[in-house]
Each structure stands twice: as C-alpha cells, then as structure tokens.
C-alpha cells in the first residue's frame, strides 16, 4: 500500500525558514516523480516544486529562488526547504507521487507565516 506522510509545518515569522518532509512507504524499488503543492483558504491548489526520478528539479515562479526540493539517498523521503517566507506562503502543503500511472497524495501539513 503506497502511503505519503508530510511533516515539518508550523508557525514562523516573515523572513524565516522551514523544511518540510514527505515520507513515502509501500514502494521498495526505484525513484519516482514527486512534487509539492499548496492550497490556501479560498484559493486553488498551486504547484510549488517537483523532482524527477533522475534528480532534476523545477519550481513555480512564486517560489523560485527561495524554495528547493531534494530526496534522501534512499529515495524514500523528499524535502522542501523554504527560505525567506512571506505571508503569501501560508497554506496547506501536500506531497504528490506518481506511481504506476496513478496519483498519490499525503494529508498535508499547515504552514503559517506571520507578518
């Protein structure tokens, strides 16, 4: 059973940093395409960052230069390092996995940035 669990959210001041983690279980072999999304109240879900099986990365314009995505060496955990946070970054952040042609999502972790 494929399962994703996010952690690391919390309350921070503007200008501070957080690192989110997404732990994947139920996949034994290989790396997979993974991404981070976020959704604020009353807003549509927004793509934030992605990492390919080969380790390539890409970012949305709103976070480019401030956020970075990376895997652990075993491929079972993906991190999202978030620097220079602003109140506009406040949202529930969710991890997405594409595996065997299907999407899998974690429950999400809340990030709140105080002005």
């Amino acid at each position: 059973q494929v399962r994703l669990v996010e952690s690391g959210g919390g309350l921070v001041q503007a200008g501070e940093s957080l690192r989110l983690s997404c732990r994947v279980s139920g996949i034994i072999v290989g790396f997979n395409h993974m991404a981070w999304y976020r959704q604020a109240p009353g807003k549509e879900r927004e793509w934030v960052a992605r990492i390919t099986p080969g380790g390539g990365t890409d970012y949305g314009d709103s976070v480019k230069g401030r956020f970075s995505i990376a895997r652990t060496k075993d491929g079972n955990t993906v991190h999202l390092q978030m620097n220079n946070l602003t109140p506009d970054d406040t949202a529930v952040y969710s991890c997405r996995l594409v595996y065997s042609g299907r999407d899998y999502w974690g429950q999400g972790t809340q990030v709140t940035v105080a002005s």
Side-chain angles (χ1 to χ4, degrees), residues 71-91:
R71 282 193 180 93
T72 55
K73 288 189 293 185
D74 63 7
N76 290 330
T77 301
V78 63
H79 299 293
L80 183 68
Q81 177 67 43
M82 306 185 296
N83 298 323
N84 195 24
L85 287 162
T86 77
D88 289 340
D89 297 316
T90 295

Side-chain angles (χ1 to χ4, degrees), residues 50-96:
R50 62 185 170 220
I51 186 165
T52 69
T57 60
D58 198 12
Y59 303 92
D61 289 341
S62 63
V63 305
K64 187 176 182 180
R66 299 189 297 121
F67 290 12
S68 62
I69 186 171
R71 282 193 180 93
T72 55
K73 288 189 293 185
D74 63 7
N76 290 330
T77 301
V78 63
H79 299 293
L80 183 68
Q81 177 67 43
M82 306 185 296
N83 298 323
N84 195 24
L85 287 162
T86 77
D88 289 340
D89 297 316
T90 295
V92 174
Y93 285 71
S94 300
C95 184
R96 177 195 180 212

